[in-house]
Amino acid sequence: GNYTGAYRPRVHFSPPTEFMNDPNGMFVNADGLYHLYYQYDPTATVAGNQHWGHATSKDLYTWENQKIALWTPNNYTFVFSGSAVVDVNNTSGFFPNQTNGVVAIYTLAQYPNNAPGPQTQNIATSHDGGYTFDAYASNPVIDSTSTQFRDPKVLWYEPGQHWVMVLAFAADFSIGIYTSPNLKDWTPQSNVTNVGLLGLQYECPNLVEIPWEDGPQETAWLLAISINPGAPLGGSITQYFAGDFNGTHFEPFDRAARIADFAKDNYAGQWFSGIPGTESQVSIAWASNWQYTQQVPTGPTEGWRSQMSLPRVNYLKNATRIGYVLVSEPYNISAVYTEELAYNSSLGNSSILLDYSSVESGALYFEANITSLSPTTAVGALNFTFSSSISGEYITGGTVVNGDTWLDRGHTNAFDNPFFTNKFSATGLYSGSDNGTWTISGVIDRSIFEVFVNGGEQSGTMTFYATQPLDTMRIGAAGIAANATVSVGVWALADTWA
Ligand code: FRU
């Protein structure tokens, strides 16, 4: 792949060429090597001829492209989304002489005569650690005549010593839960139906046990359901439900839909399989939206479309009034710091202006923290702007303490599309458990911006397309009470594709 294009993110994964959507098959092996597969049309900058592309990474920021892992079996059957697991204990019987056998579980979607045909669940085995796969001779492992039955995500359920699959009956707004002793024979156990937002389809479910910071129990189970089309802001978005899971049934704590991201470019996220225990659960999402992904300008100008989100650490945290919230923040981003560009431990109600045109990657991480807030002086705002010294185009955003966070991509001019909405916002509540702090952090990376409030209690993922590179940053505070302190730091990030 040619990664020199001006829109190419430098610490995010994007495909070598042509079109990418959902992350698939994510697992980490015993040596700590991360495998990312992805929905990949290697023949066009739009979706259609779906394969599984493949890349590997040791740090989740520096990626090495690998050969296509799953190929279409014929010219009318496509390899749709799914997952992969390492069958350490050879439950499948496929791997008598190794502990690193990989099983991919995926949907085959048939389109005979270009019309939607059956979607079935299939498996393939890899004896070389996930680089090459052979389809199982007795596929499919779950047969169906439905045209709307897909996206199996498999996990090992330790207490019951069995595998669990969640998958979408997409048009029925239902998530099926199946179990298996061996990854080959699957038994339907239960369904989670009509929860939260329906949109027009449920897709890409995930089920994972996740830590709950200071919660009434140490962990909870999280069911994430992506919906497309029909997200509240248009197109695609992911909602989540925390609850209890007993190996066969999931019971959400409440029936409310909580949305994983307050902007429009975060969909079909997947949790890595194979991360031991629940100390942290790491996810990556597709950072785009079906409403406009096939029109974004990287197609005609640079020959590729779509990027993944940053790797995120996730856990649950208590939240004022709504009970709990899913926290999502960049995973170990300091691994790709190259240089501290600015640091001020007592900014007060002023701002920093930074010319970062000499940062080769064009990628930055920043963090602004207000500390020593008291309940009576929990006021103020943090605002930032990234602009082009050549064209004047910019993206901007900020957060109001105990109030709203916002993002605006409306002043970048390379992409005009009715669904490429300009402005996004979310509301947060300051609480006693915030220890007198309110923070915002973010990553800008050429054509993608991700923001995190209070360590990820709210997060927003936003792609943007300017005609000229952004090279100037301004960040500042306003309205902060005299007894509160503002600290700001900005770091340059590595050019991992150089
Ligand atoms: C979600 C999705 C999945 C499907 C895949 C096809 O973005 O529609 O439901 O498996 O993309 O590429």
Side-chain angles (χ1 to χ4, degrees):
N2 173 352
Y3 281 79
T4 58
Y7 293 127
R8 276 283 194 184
R10 310 317 289 173
V11 294
H12 289 77
F13 182 75
S14 57
T17 179
E18 310 302 345
F19 187 81
M20 175 178 82
N21 53 292
D22 316 353
N24 292 154
M26 289 162 49
F27 77 91
V28 58
N29 74 13
D31 300 326
L33 185 69
Y34 293 93
H35 287 257
L36 167 69
Y37 306 84
Y38 53 90
Q39 281 294 283
Y40 188 38
D41 181 344
T43 56
T45 52
V46 292
N49 187 15
Q50 302 303 88
H51 294 61
W52 275 26
H54 183 204
T56 52
S57 176
K58 290 186 179 125
D59 64 2
L60 292 170
Y61 293 96
T62 313
W63 292 96
E64 198 178 322
N65 282 311
Q66 305 292 349
K67 290 182 180 152
I68 288 176
L70 292 181
W71 289 80
T72 52
N74 55 50
N75 64 9
Y76 64 90
T77 305
F78 304 107
V79 191
F80 273 21
S81 283
S83 51
V85 294
V86 182
D87 188 13
V88 183
N89 297 320
N90 190 29
T91 62
S92 63
F94 294 132
F95 310 106
N97 302 314
Q98 61 186 115
T99 53
N100 69 338
V102 181
V103 176
I105 308 98
Y106 52 94
T107 301
L108 282 183
Q110 298 175 38
Y111 286 84
N113 310 312
N114 286 322
Q119 300 191 340
T120 62
Q121 315 317 319
N122 299 263
I123 62 176
T125 58
S126 173
H127 289 80
D128 63 1
Y131 295 91
T132 60
F133 287 86
D134 297 309
Y136 176 46
S138 306
N139 274 334
V141 292
I142 305 179
D143 204 1
S144 169
T145 54
S146 170
T147 60
Q148 296 275 0
F149 180 50
R150 60 181 176 272
D151 307 340
K153 173 72 169 120
V154 171
L155 59 137
W156 177 248
Y157 184 68
E158 183 66 31
Q161 296 288 299
H162 62 76
W163 299 99
V164 173
M165 179 196 290
V166 286
L167 79 177
F169 295 88
D172 300 325
F173 310 113
S174 189
I175 303 302
I177 298 178
Y178 288 61
T179 59
S180 173
N182 57 14
L183 297 164
K184 297 182 281 199
D185 305 303
W186 291 94
T187 308
Q189 297 287 359
S190 64
N191 290 75
V192 182
T193 306
N194 286 328
V195 285
L197 298 164
L198 302 182
L200 285 180
Q201 292 176 113
Y202 278 4
E203 297 183 323
C204 299
N206 272 233
L207 182 66
V208 70
E209 189 178 12
I210 193 168
W212 191 347
E213 189 183 284
D214 300 325
Q217 51 197 63
E218 246 167 65
T219 65
W221 286 81
L222 195 85
L223 177 67
I225 304 174
S226 283
I227 55 169
N228 177 73
L233 297 178
S236 18
I237 203 67
T238 300
Q239 58 182 333
Y240 62 89
F241 307 86
D244 292 320
F245 179 63
N246 65 4
T248 56
H249 290 71
F250 175 79
E251 193 54 48
F253 296 142
D254 62 39
R255 308 291 288 183
R258 292 169 178 79
I259 291 186
D261 192 283
F262 71 84
K264 280 188 79 164
D265 296 306
N266 190 304
Y267 193 64
Q270 196 172 93
W271 312 97
F272 273 99
S273 172
I275 292 186
T278 52
E279 306 129 35
S280 65
Q281 293 290 359
V282 180
S283 64
I284 291 179
W286 177 47
S288 194
N289 189 307
W290 280 116
Q291 268 189 331
Y292 47 72
T293 191
Q294 302 182 102
Q295 283 89 45
V296 296
T298 58
T301 62
E302 299 180 6
W304 62 277
R305 277 195 175 114
S306 293
Q307 53 289 305
M308 293 303 179
S309 74
L310 293 171
R312 307 278 190 84
V313 176
N314 302 273
Y315 59 95
L316 295 177
K317 193 176 168 183
N318 298 327
T320 305
R321 293 199 200 152
I322 60 169
Y324 70 87
V325 67
L326 176 64
V327 177
S328 176
E329 59 181 340
Y331 168 81
N332 194 24
I333 183 90
S334 59
V336 283
Y337 287 4
T338 54
E339 192 191 339
E340 184 182 285
L341 298 177
Y343 190 81
N344 187 324
S345 59
S346 57
L347 187 68
N349 286 307
S350 73
S351 63
I352 288 176
L353 189 66
L354 188 72
D355 171 355
Y356 64 95
S357 54
S358 64
V359 173
E360 212 137 308
S361 63
L364 308 179
Y365 172 78
F366 72 93
E367 206 176 281
N369 305 307
I370 310 176
T371 53
S372 305
L373 286 164
S374 72
T376 47
T377 57
V379 293
L382 297 163
N383 299 309
F384 54 82
T385 304
F386 296 87
S387 58
S388 166
S389 62
I390 302 165
S391 64
E393 292 163 283
Y394 63 92
I395 62 167
T396 184
T399 186
V400 174
V401 176
N402 199 26
D404 289 3
T405 298
W406 52 282
L407 288 176
D408 184 354
R409 62 182 172 186
H411 305 275
T412 50
N413 303 328
F415 185 43
D416 192 20
N417 180 290
F419 304 111
F420 195 68
T421 325
N422 291 338
K423 294 179 181 171
F424 311 102
S425 68
T427 289
L429 288 177
Y430 177 77
S431 84
S433 63
D434 292 330
N435 296 321
T437 69
W438 191 266
T439 77
I440 194 163
S441 61
V443 169
I444 186 166
D445 189 7
R446 302 270 182 115
S447 58
I448 180 167
F449 184 78
E450 295 178 50
V451 76
F452 306 92
V453 179
N454 286 341
E457 280 171 32
Q458 293 147 25
S459 54
T461 310
M462 178 178 90
T463 54
F464 62 93
Y465 302 98
T467 63
Q468 296 292 334
L470 307 188
D471 56 13
T472 307
M473 173 182 189
R474 187 182 168 285
I475 183 162
I480 313 288
N483 54 339
T485 305
V486 181
S487 68
V488 175
V490 184
W491 289 266
L493 299 178
D495 190 346
T496 69
W497 290 101

